[in-house]
Amino acid sequence: MKIGNRMFDVEHDCYIMGILNVTPDSFSDGGKWNDMDRAIRHTGDMIREGAAIIDVGGESTRPGHVQISIQEEIDRVVPVIEMIKKNFDIPVSIDSYKGPVVEEALKAGADLVNDIWGLKYDRTVAGLIAKYQVPCCLMHNREKAEYNSFLDDMCQDMRDSLAIAKEAGIDDSQIILDPGVGFGKVYEHNLTAILHLERLVELGYPVLLATSRKSVIGTALDLPTDQRVEGTLVTTVMGVEKGASFIRVHDVKENLRAIRMTQAILREGK
């Protein structure tokens, strides 16, 4: 898969997507990187630690978050995307589900669209992805955590997102799937989605796992957000074992080491 100017071996390797939240209220790092100097330093740090993609988000999507205006989100993310593209040679993802934000981000140089609603919130996003011919990450989400058969329903929801993508003209080679840990799910659903990540892999697309510091880890370990690195590492190892091609995290260095160690065991320890 080509993202920006880089090729990714999604069949045989696993890559880090580093999180850059330029928000004052994200659940884990709100306010830490929402000025340009700190954002550029943190981007450089993540690249040095091994991030292969930088994911820029301008609106918190934590539980209970308040949706901001489209213009405010644009004002937050566009200058940061432009800054990254000017100063670093790395693909950039825009973490948004709103058409106008996605379009301005793509104009600014974003290389991938990361949509937490799997193209279902704003159908214009699918058309923009096709128009700009960029890859996309389609995440599973629901307004309510109500399921008849969780894994079956999750996979069907993903097929619905894929149908929207295909109708818009997005090529299969441009699609990544994300189980949406922490979105439209209760605690047990989140654990099940991680344990059975192969169900998404079996749909035939690269899979991204995004569990970094999330509430499922906090609940399992009874720990605050700044003490969930070890829990995140366990999910990363399981993600690699299950066939994930991308891992989206805050703590790049630690998770990349966990990926590499897991890969060494899987490749050489047969």
Side-chain angles (χ1 to χ4, degrees):
M1 172 178 281
K2 187 175 183 182
I3 305 174
N5 62 1
R6 178 172 177 180
M7 293 299 297
F8 291 79
D9 183 359
V10 294
E11 290 187 21
H12 304 103
D13 209 344
C14 185
Y15 302 89
I16 293 283
M17 175 184 280
I19 300 169
L20 182 63
N21 287 320
V22 287
T23 60
D25 58 344
S26 290
F27 81 96
S28 176
D29 56 357
K32 291 185 72 173
W33 320 117
N34 62 330
D35 73 59
M36 197 62 73
D37 288 341
R38 286 186 289 179
I40 196 169
R41 283 199 302 272
H42 188 50
T43 299
D45 289 343
M46 288 194 289
I47 292 170
R48 282 187 290 274
E49 291 177 352
I53 305 169
I54 302 297
D55 189 47
V56 177
E59 178 184 80
S60 171
T61 50
R62 61 182 171 79
H65 78 282
V66 176
Q67 192 177 68
I68 62 173
S69 72
I70 287 172
Q71 190 58 52
E72 185 174 1
E73 190 174 348
I74 290 171
D75 291 344
R76 288 180 182 180
V77 300
V78 166
V80 173
I81 293 169
E82 291 174 339
M83 172 275 293
I84 297 173
K85 301 303 292 188
K86 179 181 178 180
N87 290 278
F88 303 101
D89 182 23
I90 190 168
V92 175
S93 168
I94 174 61
D95 182 0
S96 183
Y97 52 92
K98 304 171 190 171
V101 178
V102 168
E103 183 162 27
E104 292 305 312
L106 291 172
K107 288 179 181 177
D111 303 293
L112 183 149
V113 176
N114 185 11
D115 184 343
I116 67 164
W117 281 103
L119 306 177
K120 295 177 181 178
Y121 179 90
D122 183 345
R123 296 296 181 96
T124 68
V125 172
L128 289 166
I129 293 166
K131 175 183 175 182
Y132 283 84
Q133 296 185 322
V134 294
C136 58
C137 182
L138 309 182
M139 196 189 84
H140 177 263
N141 205 343
R142 278 193 178 189
E143 291 188 7
K144 294 183 179 180
E146 298 174 355
Y147 302 90
N148 292 317
S149 173
F150 170 66
L151 286 171
D152 292 336
D153 292 352
M154 179 180 74
C155 289
Q156 183 55 53
D157 289 349
M158 291 269 70
R159 292 188 188 96
D160 294 341
S161 288
L162 289 167
I164 297 170
K166 291 180 180 181
E167 184 179 356
I170 300 171
D171 192 82
D172 277 347
S173 65
Q174 298 283 73
I175 297 173
I176 301 164
L177 302 181
D178 176 350
V181 173
F183 291 83
K185 299 169 185 66
V186 298
Y187 174 68
E188 292 80 10
H189 294 149
N190 289 318
L191 294 175
T192 300
I194 297 166
L195 180 61
H196 294 286
L197 193 69
E198 76 279 356
R199 289 290 299 272
L200 279 194
V201 174
E202 288 167 1
L203 293 178
Y205 300 84
V207 169
L208 177 146
L209 182 63
T211 61
S212 186
R213 304 182 188 175
K214 286 186 175 178
S215 62
V216 63
I217 296 168
T219 300
L221 302 179
D222 191 23
L223 289 172
T225 55
D226 62 350
Q227 295 181 38
R228 298 177 185 173
V229 177
E230 298 91 344
T232 301
L233 295 175
V234 172
T235 66
T236 292
V237 170
M238 294 195 72
V240 175
E241 287 187 292
K242 296 289 183 176
S245 302
F246 301 93
I247 305 289
R248 180 181 179 273
V249 292
H250 300 85
D251 305 288
V252 174
K253 177 179 66 177
E254 295 86 348
N255 280 276
L256 184 60
R257 289 175 177 175
I259 289 171
R260 295 292 176 255
M261 189 65 222
T262 307
Q263 289 176 326
I265 295 169
L266 293 175
R267 289 172 177 169
E268 307 299 335
K270 295 179 182 179

